[in-house]
Coordinates of all heavy atoms in Angstrom, one line a residue:
M1 N 13.2 -11.0 17.5 CA 12.0 -11.3 16.7 C 10.7 -10.8 17.5 O 9.7 -10.6 16.9 CB 11.9 -12.8 16.5 CG 10.6 -13.1 15.8 SD 10.6 -14.7 15.0 CE 9.1 -15.4 15.6
A2 N 10.8 -10.7 18.8 CA 9.7 -10.4 19.6 C 9.1 -9.1 19.1 O 7.9 -8.9 19.0 CB 10.0 -10.4 21.1
S3 N 9.9 -8.1 18.8 CA 9.5 -6.8 18.4 C 8.8 -6.9 17.0 O 7.7 -6.3 16.8 CB 10.6 -5.8 18.3 OG 10.2 -4.6 17.8
L4 N 9.4 -7.6 16.1 CA 8.8 -7.8 14.8 C 7.4 -8.6 14.9 O 6.5 -8.2 14.3 CB 9.7 -8.6 13.9 CG 9.1 -9.0 12.5 CD1 8.8 -7.8 11.7 CD2 10.1 -9.9 11.8
E5 N 7.4 -9.6 15.7 CA 6.2 -10.4 16.0 C 5.1 -9.4 16.5 O 4.0 -9.5 16.0 CB 6.4 -11.5 16.9 CG 5.2 -12.4 17.2 CD 5.5 -13.6 18.1 OE1 6.7 -14.1 18.0 OE2 4.6 -14.0 18.8
N6 N 5.4 -8.6 17.5 CA 4.4 -7.7 18.0 C 4.0 -6.7 17.0 O 2.8 -6.3 17.0 CB 5.0 -7.0 19.3 CG 5.2 -7.9 20.4 OD1 4.6 -9.0 20.5 ND2 6.1 -7.5 21.3
D7 N 4.9 -6.2 16.2 CA 4.6 -5.2 15.2 C 3.6 -5.8 14.1 O 2.6 -5.2 13.8 CB 5.8 -4.7 14.4 CG 6.6 -3.8 15.2 OD1 6.2 -3.3 16.3 OD2 7.8 -3.5 14.8
V8 N 3.9 -7.0 13.7 CA 3.0 -7.7 12.7 C 1.7 -8.0 13.3 O 0.6 -7.7 12.7 CB 3.7 -9.0 12.2 CG1 2.7 -9.7 11.3 CG2 4.9 -8.6 11.3
K9 N 1.6 -8.5 14.5 CA 0.4 -8.8 15.2 C -0.5 -7.5 15.4 O -1.7 -7.6 15.1 CB 0.6 -9.5 16.6 CG 1.1 -10.9 16.5 CD 1.2 -11.5 17.9 CE 1.6 -12.9 17.9 NZ 1.7 -13.4 19.3
A10 N 0.1 -6.4 15.8 CA -0.6 -5.2 15.9 C -1.1 -4.7 14.6 O -2.3 -4.3 14.6 CB 0.3 -4.2 16.6
L11 N -0.3 -4.8 13.6 CA -0.8 -4.4 12.3 C -2.0 -5.2 11.8 O -3.0 -4.7 11.3 CB 0.4 -4.4 11.3 CG 0.0 -4.1 9.8 CD1 -0.3 -2.6 9.7 CD2 1.2 -4.4 8.9
L12 N -1.8 -6.6 11.9 CA -2.9 -7.5 11.5 C -4.2 -7.2 12.3 O -5.3 -7.1 11.7 CB -2.5 -8.9 11.7 CG -1.4 -9.4 10.8 CD1 -1.0 -10.8 11.1 CD2 -1.8 -9.3 9.3
A13 N -4.1 -7.0 13.6 CA -5.3 -6.7 14.4 C -5.9 -5.4 14.0 O -7.2 -5.3 13.9 CB -4.8 -6.6 15.9
Q14 N -5.1 -4.4 13.7 CA -5.7 -3.1 13.3 C -6.4 -3.2 11.9 O -7.5 -2.8 11.7 CB -4.6 -2.0 13.2 CG -5.0 -0.7 12.7 CD -3.9 0.3 12.6 OE1 -2.8 0.0 12.9 NE2 -4.2 1.5 12.1
E15 N -5.7 -3.9 11.0 CA -6.2 -3.9 9.6 C -7.4 -4.9 9.5 O -8.3 -4.7 8.8 CB -5.1 -4.5 8.6 CG -4.1 -3.4 8.3 CD -4.7 -2.2 7.7 OE1 -5.6 -2.3 6.8 OE2 -4.4 -1.0 8.2
L16 N -7.4 -6.0 10.3 CA -8.5 -6.9 10.3 C -9.6 -6.6 11.3 O -10.6 -7.3 11.3 CB -7.9 -8.4 10.6 CG -6.8 -8.8 9.6 CD1 -6.3 -10.1 10.1 CD2 -7.3 -8.8 8.2
E17 N -9.3 -5.5 12.0 CA -10.3 -5.1 13.0 C -10.7 -6.2 14.0 O -11.9 -6.5 14.2 CB -11.5 -4.4 12.3 CG -11.1 -3.2 11.5 CD -12.3 -2.6 10.8 OE1 -13.4 -3.2 10.8 OE2 -12.1 -1.5 10.2
V18 N -9.7 -6.9 14.6 CA -10.0 -7.9 15.6 C -9.1 -7.5 16.8 O -8.1 -6.9 16.7 CB -9.6 -9.3 15.1 CG1 -10.4 -9.7 13.9 CG2 -8.1 -9.4 14.6
P19 N -9.5 -8.0 18.0 CA -8.7 -7.8 19.2 C -7.3 -8.5 19.0 O -7.2 -9.5 18.4 CB -9.5 -8.5 20.3 CG -10.9 -8.6 19.7 CD -10.8 -8.8 18.3
I20 N -6.3 -7.8 19.5 CA -5.0 -8.2 19.3 C -4.7 -9.6 19.9 O -3.9 -10.4 19.4 CB -3.9 -7.2 19.8 CG1 -2.5 -7.6 19.2 CG2 -3.9 -7.1 21.3 CD1 -1.5 -6.5 19.3
H21 N -5.4 -10.0 21.0 CA -5.3 -11.2 21.6 C -5.8 -12.4 20.7 O -5.4 -13.5 20.9 CB -5.9 -11.3 23.0 CG -7.4 -11.3 22.9 ND1 -8.2 -10.1 22.9 CD2 -8.3 -12.3 22.9 CE1 -9.5 -10.5 22.9 NE2 -9.6 -11.8 22.8
E22 N -6.6 -12.1 19.7 CA -7.0 -13.1 18.8 C -6.0 -13.4 17.7 O -6.0 -14.4 17.0 CB -8.3 -12.7 18.1 CG -9.5 -12.7 19.1 CD -10.8 -12.4 18.4 OE1 -10.9 -12.5 17.2 OE2 -11.8 -12.1 19.2
V23 N -5.0 -12.5 17.5 CA -4.0 -12.6 16.5 C -2.8 -13.4 17.1 O -1.8 -12.8 17.5 CB -3.5 -11.3 15.9 CG1 -2.5 -11.4 14.8 CG2 -4.7 -10.4 15.5
T24 N -3.0 -14.7 17.2 CA -1.9 -15.5 17.8 C -1.1 -16.0 16.6 O -1.4 -15.9 15.5 CB -2.5 -16.7 18.5 OG1 -3.2 -17.6 17.6 CG2 -3.5 -16.3 19.6
T25 N 0.1 -16.6 16.9 CA 1.0 -17.1 15.9 C 0.3 -18.2 15.1 O 0.7 -18.5 13.9 CB 2.3 -17.5 16.4 OG1 2.1 -18.5 17.5 CG2 3.1 -16.3 17.0
T26 N -0.6 -18.9 15.7 CA -1.2 -20.1 15.0 C -2.6 -19.7 14.4 O -3.2 -20.6 13.7 CB -1.4 -21.2 16.0 OG1 -2.2 -20.8 17.0 CG2 -0.1 -21.8 16.5
A27 N -3.0 -18.5 14.5 CA -4.3 -18.1 14.0 C -4.3 -18.2 12.5 O -3.5 -17.5 11.8 CB -4.6 -16.7 14.5
D28 N -5.3 -18.9 12.0 CA -5.5 -19.0 10.5 C -6.3 -17.8 10.2 O -7.4 -17.5 10.7 CB -6.2 -20.3 10.2 CG -6.4 -20.5 8.7 OD1 -7.3 -19.8 8.1 OD2 -5.6 -21.2 8.1
L29 N -5.9 -17.1 9.1 CA -6.5 -15.8 8.8 C -8.0 -16.1 8.3 O -8.9 -15.3 8.7 CB -5.8 -15.1 7.7 CG -4.3 -14.7 8.0 CD1 -3.7 -14.0 6.8 CD2 -4.3 -13.8 9.2
K30 N -8.2 -17.1 7.6 CA -9.6 -17.4 7.1 C -10.4 -18.0 8.2 O -11.6 -17.6 8.4 CB -9.6 -18.3 5.9 CG -9.4 -17.6 4.6 CD -9.6 -18.5 3.4 CE -9.5 -17.7 2.1 NZ -9.6 -18.5 0.9
K31 N -9.9 -19.1 8.8 CA -10.8 -19.9 9.7 C -10.9 -19.2 11.1 O -12.1 -19.1 11.6 CB -10.1 -21.3 9.9 CG -10.1 -22.1 8.7 CD -9.4 -23.4 9.0 CE -9.3 -24.2 7.7 NZ -8.4 -25.4 7.9
D32 N -9.8 -18.7 11.6 CA -9.9 -18.1 13.0 C -10.3 -16.6 13.0 O -10.9 -16.2 13.9 CB -8.6 -18.3 13.7 CG -8.2 -19.8 13.8 OD1 -9.1 -20.6 14.0 OD2 -7.0 -20.1 13.7
L33 N -9.8 -15.9 12.0 CA -10.0 -14.4 12.0 C -11.0 -14.0 10.9 O -11.2 -12.8 10.7 CB -8.6 -13.7 11.8 CG -7.6 -14.1 12.9 CD1 -6.3 -13.4 12.5 CD2 -8.1 -13.7 14.2
T34 N -11.6 -15.0 10.3 CA -12.6 -14.8 9.2 C -12.2 -13.7 8.2 O -13.0 -12.8 7.9 CB -14.0 -14.4 9.8 OG1 -13.9 -13.2 10.5 CG2 -14.5 -15.5 10.8
V35 N -11.0 -13.8 7.6 CA -10.5 -12.9 6.6 C -11.0 -13.4 5.2 O -10.7 -14.5 4.9 CB -9.0 -12.8 6.7 CG1 -8.5 -11.9 5.6 CG2 -8.6 -12.2 8.0
N36 N -11.6 -12.5 4.5 CA -12.0 -12.9 3.1 C -11.0 -12.3 2.2 O -9.9 -11.8 2.6 CB -13.4 -12.3 2.8 CG -13.5 -10.8 2.9 OD1 -12.5 -10.1 2.9 ND2 -14.7 -10.3 3.1
D37 N -11.1 -12.5 0.9 CA -10.1 -12.1 -0.1 C -9.9 -10.6 0.0 O -8.7 -10.1 -0.1 CB -10.5 -12.5 -1.5 CG -10.4 -14.0 -1.7 OD1 -9.7 -14.7 -1.0 OD2 -11.1 -14.5 -2.6
L38 N -10.9 -9.8 0.2 CA -10.7 -8.3 0.3 C -9.9 -8.0 1.5 O -9.0 -7.1 1.5 CB -12.1 -7.6 0.3 CG -12.0 -6.1 0.4 CD1 -11.2 -5.5 -0.7 CD2 -13.4 -5.5 0.5
G39 N -10.2 -8.6 2.6 CA -9.5 -8.4 3.8 C -8.0 -8.8 3.8 O -7.2 -8.1 4.2
K40 N -7.8 -9.9 3.1 CA -6.4 -10.3 2.9 C -5.6 -9.3 2.0 O -4.5 -9.0 2.3 CB -6.3 -11.7 2.2 CG -5.0 -12.3 2.2 CD -5.0 -13.7 1.8 CE -3.6 -14.3 1.8 NZ -3.6 -15.8 1.5
S41 N -6.3 -8.8 1.0 CA -5.7 -7.8 0.1 C -5.4 -6.5 0.9 O -4.3 -5.9 0.7 CB -6.6 -7.5 -1.0 OG -6.1 -6.5 -1.9
Q42 N -6.3 -6.1 1.8 CA -6.1 -4.9 2.6 C -4.9 -5.1 3.5 O -4.1 -4.3 3.8 CB -7.3 -4.5 3.3 CG -8.4 -4.0 2.4 CD -9.7 -3.8 3.1 OE1 -10.1 -4.5 4.1 NE2 -10.5 -2.8 2.6
M43 N -4.8 -6.3 4.1 CA -3.8 -6.7 5.0 C -2.4 -6.6 4.3 O -1.4 -6.1 4.9 CB -4.1 -8.1 5.6 CG -2.9 -8.6 6.5 SD -3.0 -10.4 6.6 CE -2.5 -10.9 5.0
I44 N -2.4 -7.3 3.1 CA -1.1 -7.2 2.4 C -0.7 -5.8 2.0 O 0.5 -5.5 2.1 CB -1.3 -8.2 1.1 CG1 -1.3 -9.6 1.6 CG2 -0.1 -7.9 0.1 CD1 -1.8 -10.6 0.6
N45 N -1.6 -5.0 1.6 CA -1.3 -3.6 1.3 C -0.8 -2.9 2.5 O 0.2 -2.0 2.4 CB -2.5 -2.9 0.7 CG -2.7 -3.2 -0.7 OD1 -1.8 -3.6 -1.5 ND2 -4.0 -3.2 -1.1
A46 N -1.3 -3.2 3.7 CA -0.9 -2.5 4.9 C 0.6 -3.0 5.3 O 1.4 -2.2 5.7 CB -1.8 -2.9 6.1
I47 N 0.8 -4.3 5.0 CA 2.2 -4.8 5.3 C 3.2 -4.1 4.4 O 4.3 -3.7 4.7 CB 2.2 -6.3 5.1 CG1 1.5 -7.0 6.3 CG2 3.7 -6.8 5.1 CD1 1.3 -8.4 6.1
R48 N 2.7 -4.0 3.1 CA 3.6 -3.3 2.1 C 4.0 -1.9 2.5 O 5.1 -1.4 2.5 CB 2.9 -3.3 0.7 CG 2.9 -4.6 0.0 CD 2.1 -4.5 -1.3 NE 2.2 -5.7 -2.0 CZ 1.2 -6.1 -2.9 NH1 0.2 -5.4 -3.1 NH2 1.4 -7.3 -3.5
Q49 N 3.0 -1.2 3.0 CA 3.2 0.2 3.4 C 4.0 0.3 4.7 O 4.9 1.1 4.8 CB 1.9 0.9 3.5 CG 1.2 1.2 2.2 CD -0.2 1.8 2.4 OE1 -0.7 2.0 3.5 NE2 -0.9 2.1 1.3
R50 N 3.6 -0.5 5.6 CA 4.2 -0.4 7.0 C 5.7 -0.8 6.9 O 6.6 -0.1 7.5 CB 3.5 -1.3 8.0 CG 4.2 -1.5 9.3 CD 4.4 -0.3 10.1 NE 4.9 -0.5 11.4 CZ 6.2 -0.6 11.7 NH1 7.1 -0.5 10.7 NH2 6.6 -0.9 12.9
F51 N 6.0 -1.8 6.2 CA 7.4 -2.3 6.2 C 8.2 -1.9 4.9 O 9.3 -2.3 4.7 CB 7.4 -3.8 6.4 CG 6.9 -4.2 7.7 CD1 5.7 -4.9 7.8 CD2 7.6 -4.0 8.9 CE1 5.2 -5.3 9.0 CE2 7.1 -4.3 10.1 CZ 5.9 -5.0 10.2
D52 N 7.5 -1.1 4.0 CA 8.1 -0.7 2.8 C 8.7 -1.8 2.0 O 9.9 -1.8 1.7 CB 9.2 0.4 3.1 CG 9.6 1.1 1.8 OD1 8.8 1.2 0.9 OD2 10.8 1.6 1.8
V53 N 7.9 -2.8 1.7 CA 8.3 -4.0 1.0 C 7.4 -4.3 -0.2 O 6.3 -3.8 -0.2 CB 8.4 -5.3 1.9 CG1 9.4 -5.1 3.0 CG2 7.0 -5.6 2.5
Y54 N 7.9 -5.0 -1.1 CA 7.0 -5.5 -2.2 C 6.8 -7.0 -2.0 O 7.7 -7.8 -1.8 CB 7.7 -5.3 -3.6 CG 6.8 -5.8 -4.7 CD1 5.7 -5.0 -5.1 CD2 7.1 -7.0 -5.3 CE1 4.9 -5.5 -6.1 CE2 6.3 -7.4 -6.3 CZ 5.2 -6.7 -6.7 OH 4.4 -7.2 -7.7
I55 N 5.6 -7.4 -2.1 CA 5.2 -8.8 -1.9 C 4.7 -9.3 -3.3 O 3.8 -8.8 -3.9 CB 4.1 -9.0 -0.9 CG1 4.4 -8.4 0.5 CG2 3.7 -10.5 -0.7 CD1 3.3 -8.4 1.5
E56 N 5.5 -10.3 -3.8 CA 5.1 -10.9 -5.1 C 3.8 -11.6 -4.9 O 3.4 -12.1 -3.9 CB 6.1 -11.9 -5.5 CG 7.6 -11.5 -5.7 CD 7.6 -10.7 -7.1 OE1 6.8 -10.9 -7.9 OE2 8.6 -10.0 -7.2
E57 N 3.0 -11.5 -6.0 CA 1.6 -12.1 -6.0 C 1.6 -13.5 -5.5 O 0.8 -14.0 -4.7 CB 1.0 -12.0 -7.3 CG -0.5 -12.1 -7.3 CD -1.2 -11.1 -6.5 OE1 -0.8 -9.9 -6.4 OE2 -2.2 -11.4 -5.8
E58 N 2.6 -14.3 -6.0 CA 2.7 -15.7 -5.6 C 3.0 -15.9 -4.2 O 2.6 -16.9 -3.6 CB 3.6 -16.5 -6.6 CG 5.1 -16.1 -6.5 CD 5.3 -15.1 -7.6 OE1 4.4 -14.5 -8.3 OE2 6.5 -14.8 -7.8
D59 N 3.7 -15.0 -3.6 CA 4.0 -15.1 -2.2 C 2.7 -14.9 -1.2 O 2.7 -15.3 -0.1 CB 5.1 -14.1 -1.7 CG 6.4 -14.4 -2.3 OD1 6.6 -15.6 -2.6 OD2 7.3 -13.5 -2.4
T60 N 1.7 -14.1 -1.8 CA 0.6 -13.9 -1.0 C -0.2 -15.1 -0.6 O -0.9 -15.2 0.4 CB -0.4 -12.8 -1.7 OG1 -0.8 -13.4 -2.9 CG2 0.4 -11.5 -1.9
D61 N -0.1 -16.1 -1.4 CA -0.8 -17.4 -1.2 C -0.3 -18.1 0.1 O -1.0 -18.9 0.7 CB -0.7 -18.3 -2.4 CG -1.5 -17.8 -3.6 OD1 -2.5 -17.0 -3.4 OD2 -1.2 -18.2 -4.7
Q62 N 1.0 -17.8 0.4 CA 1.6 -18.4 1.6 C 1.2 -17.7 2.9 O 1.5 -18.3 4.0 CB 3.1 -18.4 1.4 CG 3.6 -19.1 0.2 CD 5.1 -18.9 0.0 OE1 5.8 -18.6 0.9 NE2 5.5 -18.9 -1.3
L63 N 0.7 -16.6 2.8 CA 0.4 -15.7 4.0 C -1.0 -16.1 4.6 O -1.9 -15.3 4.5 CB 0.5 -14.3 3.7 CG 1.9 -13.9 3.1 CD1 1.8 -12.4 2.7 CD2 3.1 -14.2 4.0
N64 N -1.1 -17.3 5.2 CA -2.3 -17.7 5.7 C -2.5 -17.7 7.2 O -3.6 -17.9 7.7 CB -2.6 -19.2 5.2 CG -2.6 -19.3 3.7 OD1 -3.2 -18.4 3.1 ND2 -1.9 -20.2 3.1
T65 N -1.4 -17.5 7.9 CA -1.5 -17.4 9.3 C -0.7 -16.2 9.8 O 0.1 -15.6 9.0 CB -0.9 -18.6 10.1 OG1 0.6 -18.7 9.8 CG2 -1.5 -19.9 9.6
S66 N -0.9 -15.8 11.0 CA -0.1 -14.7 11.6 C 1.4 -15.0 11.5 O 2.2 -14.2 11.1 CB -0.5 -14.4 13.0 OG -1.8 -14.1 13.1
M67 N 1.7 -16.2 11.9 CA 3.2 -16.6 11.9 C 3.8 -16.6 10.5 O 4.9 -16.3 10.3 CB 3.3 -18.0 12.6 CG 4.8 -18.3 12.9 SD 5.3 -17.2 14.2 CE 7.0 -17.2 14.0
S68 N 3.0 -17.0 9.5 CA 3.5 -17.0 8.1 C 3.8 -15.6 7.7 O 4.8 -15.4 6.9 CB 2.6 -17.7 7.1 OG 1.3 -17.0 7.0
N69 N 3.1 -14.6 8.1 CA 3.4 -13.2 7.8 C 4.6 -12.8 8.5 O 5.5 -12.1 7.9 CB 2.2 -12.3 8.3 CG 1.1 -12.3 7.3 OD1 1.1 -11.6 6.4 ND2 0.1 -13.2 7.6
I70 N 4.8 -13.2 9.8 CA 6.0 -12.9 10.5 C 7.2 -13.5 9.8 O 8.3 -12.9 9.6 CB 5.9 -13.3 12.0 CG1 4.8 -12.5 12.6 CG2 7.2 -13.1 12.7 CD1 4.2 -13.1 13.9
D71 N 7.1 -14.8 9.6 CA 8.2 -15.6 9.0 C 8.6 -15.0 7.6 O 9.8 -14.9 7.3 CB 7.9 -17.0 8.8 CG 7.8 -17.8 10.1 OD1 8.4 -17.3 11.1 OD2 7.2 -18.9 10.1
W72 N 7.6 -14.6 6.8 CA 7.9 -14.1 5.5 C 8.7 -12.8 5.6 O 9.7 -12.6 4.9 CB 6.6 -13.8 4.7 CG 6.9 -13.2 3.4 CD1 7.1 -13.9 2.2 CD2 7.0 -11.8 3.0 NE1 7.3 -13.0 1.2 CE2 7.3 -11.7 1.7 CE3 6.8 -10.7 3.8 CZ2 7.4 -10.5 1.0 CZ3 6.9 -9.5 3.1 CH2 7.2 -9.4 1.8
Y73 N 8.3 -11.9 6.5 CA 9.0 -10.6 6.6 C 10.3 -10.8 7.2 O 11.3 -10.2 6.8 CB 8.2 -9.6 7.4 CG 8.9 -8.3 7.5 CD1 9.0 -7.5 6.3 CD2 9.5 -7.8 8.6 CE1 9.6 -6.3 6.2 CE2 10.1 -6.6 8.6 CZ 10.2 -5.9 7.4 OH 10.9 -4.6 7.4
E74 N 10.5 -11.8 8.2 CA 11.7 -12.0 8.8 C 12.8 -12.6 7.7 O 13.9 -12.2 7.7 CB 11.6 -13.0 10.0 CG 12.9 -13.2 10.8 CD 12.6 -14.0 12.0 OE1 12.2 -15.2 11.8 OE2 12.8 -13.5 13.1
S75 N 12.3 -13.5 6.9 CA 13.2 -14.0 5.8 C 13.6 -12.9 4.8 O 14.7 -12.9 4.4 CB 12.5 -15.2 5.1 OG 11.5 -14.7 4.2
L76 N 12.7 -12.0 4.6 CA 13.0 -10.8 3.7 C 14.1 -10.0 4.4 O 15.1 -9.6 3.7 CB 11.8 -10.0 3.5 CG 11.8 -8.9 2.5 CD1 12.0 -9.6 1.1 CD2 10.6 -8.1 2.5
Q77 N 14.0 -9.8 5.7 CA 15.0 -9.0 6.4 C 16.4 -9.7 6.3 O 17.4 -9.1 6.1 CB 14.6 -8.8 7.8 CG 13.6 -7.7 8.1 CD 13.4 -7.5 9.5 OE1 13.3 -8.4 10.3 NE2 13.3 -6.2 9.9
L78 N 16.4 -11.0 6.5 CA 17.6 -11.8 6.5 C 18.3 -11.7 5.2 O 19.5 -11.6 5.0 CB 17.4 -13.3 7.0 CG 17.0 -13.5 8.4 CD1 16.6 -15.0 8.6 CD2 18.1 -13.0 9.4
T79 N 17.5 -11.8 4.1 CA 18.0 -11.7 2.8 C 18.6 -10.3 2.5 O 19.7 -10.3 2.0 CB 16.9 -12.0 1.7 OG1 16.3 -13.3 1.9 CG2 17.4 -11.9 0.3
A80 N 17.9 -9.3 3.0 CA 18.5 -8.0 2.8 C 19.8 -7.8 3.6 O 20.7 -7.2 3.1 CB 17.4 -6.9 3.2
D81 N 19.8 -8.3 4.8 CA 21.0 -8.2 5.6 C 22.2 -8.9 5.0 O 23.3 -8.5 5.0 CB 20.8 -8.8 7.1 CG 19.8 -7.9 7.9 OD1 19.6 -6.7 7.5 OD2 19.3 -8.4 8.9
S82 N 21.9 -10.1 4.4 CA 22.9 -10.9 3.8 C 23.5 -10.2 2.5 O 24.7 -10.1 2.3 CB 22.3 -12.2 3.3 OG 23.2 -12.9 2.5
R83 N 22.6 -9.5 1.8 CA 23.1 -8.8 0.6 C 23.9 -7.6 1.0 O 24.9 -7.2 0.4 CB 21.9 -8.3 -0.2 CG 21.2 -9.4 -1.0 CD 20.1 -8.9 -1.9 NE 19.5 -10.1 -2.5 CZ 18.2 -10.1 -3.0 NH1 17.5 -8.9 -2.9 NH2 17.7 -11.1 -3.5
L84 N 23.5 -6.9 2.1 CA 24.2 -5.8 2.6 C 25.6 -6.3 3.1 O 26.6 -5.5 2.8 CB 23.5 -5.2 3.8 CG 24.0 -3.9 4.3 CD1 24.0 -2.8 3.2 CD2 23.2 -3.4 5.5
Q85 N 25.7 -7.3 3.7 CA 27.0 -7.9 4.2 C 27.9 -8.2 3.0 O 29.1 -7.9 3.0 CB 26.8 -9.2 5.0 CG 26.3 -8.9 6.4 CD 27.1 -8.0 7.2 OE1 28.4 -8.0 7.1 NE2 26.5 -7.2 8.1
Q86 N 27.3 -8.7 1.9 CA 28.1 -9.0 0.7 C 28.6 -7.7 0.0 O 29.7 -7.7 -0.5 CB 27.2 -9.8 -0.3 CG 27.0 -11.2 0.1 CD 26.0 -11.9 -0.9 OE1 25.4 -11.3 -1.7 NE2 25.9 -13.2 -0.7
L87 N 27.8 -6.7 0.1 CA 28.3 -5.4 -0.5 C 29.4 -4.8 0.3 O 30.3 -4.1 -0.2 CB 27.1 -4.4 -0.5 CG 26.0 -4.7 -1.5 CD1 24.9 -3.8 -1.4 CD2 26.5 -4.7 -3.0
K88 N 29.5 -5.1 1.6 CA 30.5 -4.5 2.4 C 31.9 -5.2 2.3 O 32.9 -4.7 2.6 CB 30.1 -4.6 3.9 CG 29.0 -3.6 4.3 CD 28.7 -3.7 5.7 CE 27.6 -2.7 6.1 NZ 27.3 -2.9 7.6
M89 N 31.8 -6.4 1.7 CA 33.1 -7.2 1.5 C 33.9 -6.7 0.4 O 33.8 -6.1 -0.5 CB 32.7 -8.7 1.2 CG 32.1 -9.3 2.4 SD 31.8 -11.1 2.0 CE 31.5 -11.7 3.6

């Protein structure tokens, strides 16, 4: 997970134009990193492009901290891995 966490943090820092040390796992995007709706939209688009995923609109409301972004993508990977395992059976 460390690599995924670092990738997500680096992406958030780049997209939000903040120093990477400010993108902690507990950093609230609005309160700590002063992300507005436009910034959140840009961040979500960057995640979509970087990780080649689709984020449902209702899922975007849950992406409020750096860790929630990491957890969301990690759960997506686990779901994909699980489906792949089922196909191999």
Side-chain angles (χ1 to χ4, degrees):
M1 176 166 131
S3 179
L4 174 63
E5 183 175 324
N6 291 338
D7 287 349
V8 172
K9 284 181 176 181
L11 178 66
L12 293 177
Q14 178 182 355
E15 286 303 311
L16 303 175
E17 298 178 353
V18 297
I20 195 161
H21 71 271
E22 290 183 16
V23 184
T24 64
T25 54
T26 58
D28 183 280
L29 299 177
K30 274 189 176 177
K31 295 177 187 170
D32 300 325
L33 302 176
T34 63
V35 175
N36 59 21
D37 289 338
L38 178 60
K40 188 171 182 178
S41 177
Q42 291 172 329
M43 175 200 72
I44 289 168
N45 284 332
I47 290 171
R48 285 177 175 152
Q49 290 175 355
R50 166 65 174 86
F51 296 110
D52 194 26
V53 295
Y54 178 75
I55 303 173
E56 296 285 341
E57 197 61 38
E58 58 268 11
D59 289 340
T60 63
D61 292 336
Q62 301 171 29
L63 304 178
N64 297 316
T65 65
S66 302
M67 195 66 204
S68 65
N69 281 276
I70 295 164
D71 288 343
W72 178 85
Y73 185 69
E74 189 173 60
S75 72
L76 190 67
Q77 282 185 318
L78 293 174
T79 301
D81 290 346
S82 172
R83 288 184 183 156
L84 188 59
Q85 289 299 327
Q86 289 175 349
L87 291 173
K88 289 182 178 180
M89 292 181 169

